[in-house]
């Protein structure tokens, strides 16, 4: 059966499943049609603009023990570090001089980063970089904590749900964590007023196509401003060390599907996609993505934030190599802009 992409918003679960599984050949006629449609929608909403987010990985300590993650608390081989306030602000200063107008402060759920410390960092950053967006990606917190960060000056929050199926979630996480709480966090963030980002891994252990359909349905319920997906890549010091990685082909297909379903969304072409294939990030942009997140973390720490094996952090992934990144984006047919890159949706105009 030939699926009618003009009707994708009305697809049943079975039709979405068929679309995801349609073929595994990224060069097939239908895959190319899907990509072209997604790129057309992206251009209608964002033109050829690609927004840069300067990523600052503030801590490799984490209290959680997610089975897929290289910085899980039980990994005794992990190289731990924690940035100081001055190091974080210095990274922002470096990024600002390079033309970045969004800073993403990401880290494990590190108990040493108390609410007081986070609010101090955010409020100082807001004063120094008043024309910039400040994004946090520091995990599950209480409503009160999220509200404090927002009041201190944070604009956006990224929190991938990873999988929207409870049975699958329990295969990836210890009993101390719950999908119910993860979803509660995301809806709390929306209620407070953040621009909210969620997303999931493609090809994670035990994942089925039905799981991916569930992810889409949850995102339709949440209506996030940002959707971040990337291929699952295993880490040698986790219980999933021998599992297969996700594929570039399915990840790129999912980017196109998400672009058609969420025309307004900010969708990154992720480091994981660039890690799994030298052309992965370029193909992600051509499939409908419009965000890239180069690394502003101080160079001496970058290799220690090893959430998966072989994570790219040099070359085009390094924020200081902006010229290389601009050349890659332009070669794909797009244009890097110096902008906060806010979501273009009715609720944010």
């Amino acid at each position: 059966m030939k699926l009618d992409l003009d009707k994708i918003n009305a697809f049943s679960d079975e039709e979405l499943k068929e679309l995801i599984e349609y073929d595994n050949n990224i060069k097939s006629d239908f895959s190319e049609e899907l990509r072209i449609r997604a790129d057309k929608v992206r251009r209608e909403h964002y033109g050829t603009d690609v927004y840069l987010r300067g990523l600052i990985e503030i801590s490799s300590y984490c209290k959680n023990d997610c089975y897929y993650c290289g910085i899980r608390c039980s990994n005794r081989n992990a190289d731990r570090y924690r940035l100081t306030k001055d190091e974080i602000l210095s990274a922002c200063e470096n990024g600002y001089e390079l033309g970045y107008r969004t800073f993403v402060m990401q880290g494990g759920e590190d108990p040493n980063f108390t609410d007081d410390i986070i609010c101090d960092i955010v409020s100082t950053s807001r004063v120094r970089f008043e024309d910039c967006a400040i994004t946090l990606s520091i995990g599950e917190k209480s409503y009160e904590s999220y509200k404090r960060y927002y009041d201190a000056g944070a604009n956006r929050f990224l929190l991938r749900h990873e999988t929207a199926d409870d049975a699958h979630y329990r295969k990836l996480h210890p009993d101390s964590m719950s999908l119910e709480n993860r979803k509660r966090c995301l809806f709390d963030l929306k209620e407070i007023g953040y621009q909210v980002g969620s997303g999931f891994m493609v090809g994670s252990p035990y994942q089925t196509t039905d799981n991916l359909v569930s992810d889409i349905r949850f995102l339709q319920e949440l209506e996030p401003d940002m959707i971040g997906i990337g291929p699952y890549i295993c880490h040698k010091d986790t219980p999933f060390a021998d599992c297969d990685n996700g594929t570039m082909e399915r990840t790129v297909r999912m980017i196109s599907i998400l672009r058609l379903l969420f025309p307004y969304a900010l969708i990154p072409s992720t480091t994981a996609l660039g890690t799994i294939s030298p052309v992965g990030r370029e193909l992600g942009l051509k499939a409908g993505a419009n965000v890239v997140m180069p690394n502003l973390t101080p160079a001496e720490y970058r290799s220690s934030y090893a959430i998966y094996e072989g994570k790219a952090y040099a070359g085009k992934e390094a924020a200081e190599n902006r010229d290389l990144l601009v050349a890659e984006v332009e070669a794909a047919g797009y244009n890097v802009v110096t902008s906060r890159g806010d979501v273009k949706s009715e609720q944010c105009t």
Side-chain angles (χ1 to χ4, degrees):
M1 179 179 71
K2 181 66 181 293
L3 296 167
D4 185 352
L5 293 175
D6 288 332
K7 299 178 180 178
I8 189 171
N9 286 297
F11 276 11
S12 66
D13 288 358
E14 284 304 311
E15 286 172 318
L16 280 177
K17 184 176 179 179
E18 182 178 356
L19 178 60
I20 294 168
E21 294 182 337
Y22 203 92
D23 60 60
N24 291 314
N25 183 358
I26 204 166
K27 296 181 180 179
S28 74
D29 290 342
F30 186 75
S31 290
E32 184 63 6
E33 179 186 350
L34 177 65
R35 185 201 67 77
I36 290 171
R37 293 286 192 96
D39 185 56
K40 180 175 183 290
V41 169
R42 167 250 213 278
R43 289 173 186 264
E44 287 171 353
H45 286 78
Y46 289 99
T48 59
D49 291 350
V50 171
Y51 304 114
L52 302 185
R53 286 30 174 142
L55 178 64
I56 306 169
E57 296 156 335
I58 65 175
S59 177
S60 65
Y61 286 91
C62 189
K63 69 177 184 179
N64 293 329
D65 207 26
C66 304
Y67 301 148
Y68 50 82
C69 184
I71 63 170
R72 60 199 301 260
C73 64
S74 65
N75 181 10
R76 296 184 179 181
N77 295 323
D79 188 9
R80 308 291 182 178
Y81 72 90
R82 181 180 295 119
L83 298 188
T84 66
K85 175 184 175 181
D86 286 344
E87 286 175 320
I88 294 170
L89 293 174
S90 178
C92 291
E93 187 69 47
N94 181 39
Y96 194 87
E97 292 175 358
L98 289 167
Y100 297 90
R101 294 297 180 265
T102 293
F103 304 121
V104 181
M105 300 177 188
Q106 181 183 80
E109 292 192 25
D110 182 349
N112 281 54
F113 272 104
T114 64
D115 287 354
D116 286 343
I117 290 173
I118 293 294
C119 288
D120 180 43
I121 293 168
V122 169
S123 61
T124 304
S125 301
R126 171 55 55 225
V127 171
R128 290 196 189 180
F129 311 102
E130 59 182 359
D131 59 331
C132 295
I134 298 173
T135 304
L136 296 177
S137 182
I138 53 175
E140 298 178 6
K141 307 290 182 180
S142 67
Y143 184 99
E144 293 73 23
S145 294
Y146 288 143
K147 185 65 165 59
R148 286 191 63 189
Y149 309 153
Y150 185 80
D151 291 342
N155 309 98
R156 304 171 181 158
F157 204 103
L158 306 181
L159 182 66
R160 285 186 177 186
H161 66 274
E162 299 300 8
T163 176
D165 180 87
D166 187 64
H168 187 216
Y169 187 93
R170 284 185 272 115
K171 291 179 179 179
L172 302 180
H173 301 87
D175 291 341
S176 58
M177 301 179 69
S178 75
L179 179 59
E180 180 183 8
N181 191 59
R182 181 62 60 103
K183 289 181 176 181
R184 186 272 304 168
C185 289
L186 286 162
F187 284 105
D188 281 354
L189 289 162
K190 284 206 69 173
E191 181 179 325
I192 290 167
Y194 285 93
Q195 289 185 37
V196 175
S198 191
F200 52 88
M201 296 177 287
V202 178
S204 59
Y206 309 110
Q207 185 182 75
T208 65
T209 308
D210 287 329
N211 294 150
L212 291 171
V213 172
S214 295
D215 289 322
I216 290 171
R217 295 309 187 201
F218 172 67
L219 291 172
Q220 288 176 318
E221 178 187 1
L222 179 67
E223 296 183 325
D225 303 292
M226 300 160 279
I227 302 174
I229 69 169
Y232 164 77
I233 303 176
C234 70
H235 191 286
K236 62 182 178 59
D237 295 318
T238 70
F240 298 147
D242 296 327
C243 291
D244 292 334
N245 291 335
T247 67
M248 177 187 69
E249 291 78 10
R250 177 157 289 194
T251 304
V252 169
R253 174 178 288 271
M254 291 302 302
I255 288 174
S256 290
I257 292 169
L258 291 170
R259 174 56 68 200
L260 292 179
L261 290 170
F262 303 92
Y264 62 85
L266 294 160
I267 301 176
S269 191
T270 62
T271 298
L273 194 51
T275 298
I276 207 166
S277 168
V279 297
R281 191 161 62 183
E282 177 184 349
L283 291 175
L285 290 171
K286 290 181 175 180
N290 62 334
V291 171
V292 177
M293 298 174 65
N295 203 319
L296 272 172
T297 309
E300 62 266 33
Y301 300 115
R302 289 179 192 173
S303 63
S304 299
Y305 197 78
I307 54 178
Y308 52 81
E309 204 71 23
K311 181 171 175 282
Y313 57 86
K316 289 177 288 188
E317 302 298 333
E320 61 270 18
N321 292 333
R322 194 174 189 272
D323 290 346
L324 295 177
L325 180 59
V326 169
E328 179 186 57
V329 171
E330 290 180 347
Y334 307 99
N335 178 49
V336 168
V337 294
T338 298
S339 165
R340 282 170 43 120
D342 289 303
V343 67
K344 295 183 179 180
S345 60
E346 291 182 2
Q347 63 264 37
C348 292
T349 56

